[in-house]
Structure formats: C-alpha cells, structure tokens
Amino acid sequence: MTAPRLRGSARHPLRRDWGVALELGSARTRAWVPGRGLITDVPTVTFGAGTTYPIQRGTIVDEAGCARMLQRLLGHRLPRRTRPHIVLTTPVLDGPAYRSAARAAVEVLRPRTVRTIPTARAVALAAGAGLSRPLLVVDVGAHLSEVVLLSGTGVVDARRAALGTGDLGAARPAGIADTVASMITEMLRQDRTSRTADALHRGVLLAGGGALRPGIVHDLSGLLGVPPRVVPAPHTAAVRGAARHLCALHGGGLGARPLPR
C-alpha cells in the first residue's frame, strides 16, 4: 500500500495566509477574520495598575497599552507561525499621527502587511454603496461623530465632533442630531460645487452605534428633510467593510472566502 502524501510537517508547517480586519474604537475594539466572522467585540480597555482606556475620542493616547490589549485579545486566536495581513479602520481626520500609532500597536501581532482604510470608506463598502456619485457618510460612535463626503475613491470633505452615544447622559439625542446636521450645513455652505447637495439628496448613509438609537435617527431625519439610510448592523459596519477590503486585496491568498455582509 502506498503511504499517503503528507502535506507539511512539524518542522516545516504549511503556511496559510490569514487576514484580520480591525476596528480600534474609543469604546469598543472589533476584529473580523474572513471565514470566521466577528471574533472580538469588547470594550477598548487595558489592564496594568488599573483599568485604562488607550484610545480616547478617536485618538490613541497609550500606544503600548493598545499593543498589550491586542496581544491579549488576538495573540492566542491566530495560528502559530502565522503573519497575518491586517486592514485597520482609521478616523478620517486623525491623519498621520493616528495611523503611525495604530501601525506601531498592531506590530505586536507580527503582521505581514498593514493597510489602513478610512472608517467612512469601510462603512460604504459594508453597505455596498457605490461611489460613482457623491456619498455622505455619518458615523455616530460612542465618543466621536464624523461626517464625511466621499466621491470616487477619495475623501472630499470631512467634519468631526467629540460627541457620541456615550455622552447621552449629558446630551439629549437631539443634541447629537443637531451637531451632525450643523456639520452637514457647514459642508454645504463651503462647497463650491454641487457634490454635498447631490449627496444629501441621495440620502445620508448612517452607521455606528448611534444608528441604533431611534431618537437620533428620527431627529436627524427631521433636521435634514430626508430620512437617513441606516446601514444593516450599523455598529459593526466599519469592521465588516474593512473585512471586505481585506478580501478584495488578498482574495486569492485568503482562500476566496465569502465576503462579510
């Protein structure tokens, strides 16, 4: 009898490309692995002398703490000897400082590659929204709200406010809706083209935990004059969109796994 062919060995294990989509939010950290789905959705906290919050209002304030958190959450979930491809969502207006700190933090996972994607772009991908026409994306998180105008593959304009659902103890839902509407109004006033107006007429794409609050959705609809289009499962839209981007970049190497919806 012919012995079966062994694929790999203990000394030379099979290499299999893995990918991880990451959302490092001020309130929650989420990770999505193609083929496995959402594997982590937990508060963004780290432990040492006490409980600390390494990301605040969309800014990484403790890079080392963020790395420790990622090691604790994901280090044991990735196969040994694997160097994953990572796609990381980033707030639009944090710029190079956030991307640099985030890339340094994820180095604890020994990535093969690290790509970043603006959160608004990831939301659009999760919603399957085409960008052949201008698109307004509103992301209302726990501690940060962003309004972003997308056109083609790029960010045309963006606004942010340090206000979110975590502030509802001090701010009414109408206060969040008012802030978002004010940012959109400012964009309309400063836009010398028709792109912002066209995107508003098309309908605002609403994501983040704030999209699960009926009061915010209702108030925003009244202020804008058009009902927002709420992304399915809006609280996980960013990480799912990052996973779609990951699959598009490394689809063949990741085993052509189904795209998240």
Side-chain angles (χ1 to χ4, degrees), residues 16-37:
R16 180 183 181 185
D17 279 349
W18 273 67
V20 180
L22 276 176
E23 177 189 1
L24 298 176
S26 301
R28 300 192 72 82
T29 290
R30 299 182 174 98
W32 186 293
V33 171
R36 296 176 62 187

Side-chain angles (χ1 to χ4, degrees), residues 139-235:
D139 181 19
V140 179
H143 302 135
L144 188 71
S145 296
E146 283 194 323
V147 177
V148 181
L149 176 64
L150 298 172
S151 184
T153 59
V155 173
V156 176
D157 197 0
R159 300 287 189 278
R160 66 183 289 177
L163 182 68
T165 58
D167 301 301
L168 286 179
R172 297 175 297 105
I176 294 177
D178 285 340
T179 299
V180 170
S182 295
M183 290 191 286
I184 293 175
T185 299
E186 184 182 3
M187 293 170 71
L188 283 166
R189 289 174 177 168
Q190 295 185 1
D191 189 354
R192 297 181 179 276
T193 71
S194 64
R195 287 180 295 192
T196 304
D198 291 344
L200 183 60
H201 179 74
R202 179 182 179 184
V204 168
L205 198 62
L206 181 61
L212 297 173
R213 305 287 184 119
I216 293 176
V217 177
H218 176 269
D219 291 338
L220 195 56
S221 178
L223 289 167
L224 298 179
V226 289
R229 297 183 291 155
V230 177
V231 180
H235 57 303

Side-chain angles (χ1 to χ4, degrees), residues 58 90-102 116 146 160:
T90 60
V92 171
L93 293 176
D94 269 315
Y98 183 96
R99 292 194 294 271
S100 176
T116 60
E146 283 194 323
R160 66 183 289 177

Side-chain angles (χ1 to χ4, degrees), residues 21-23 28-32 37-42 89 119 122-127 139-141 206-212 230-244 260-261:
L22 276 176
E23 177 189 1
R28 300 192 72 82
T29 290
R30 299 182 174 98
W32 186 293
L38 191 66
I39 64 169
T40 295
D41 186 351
V42 297
T89 65
T119 297
V123 167
L125 285 173
D139 181 19
V140 179
L206 181 61
L212 297 173
V230 177
V231 180
H235 57 303
T236 63
V239 74
R240 288 185 287 115
R244 289 183 69 90
R261 296 187 180 277

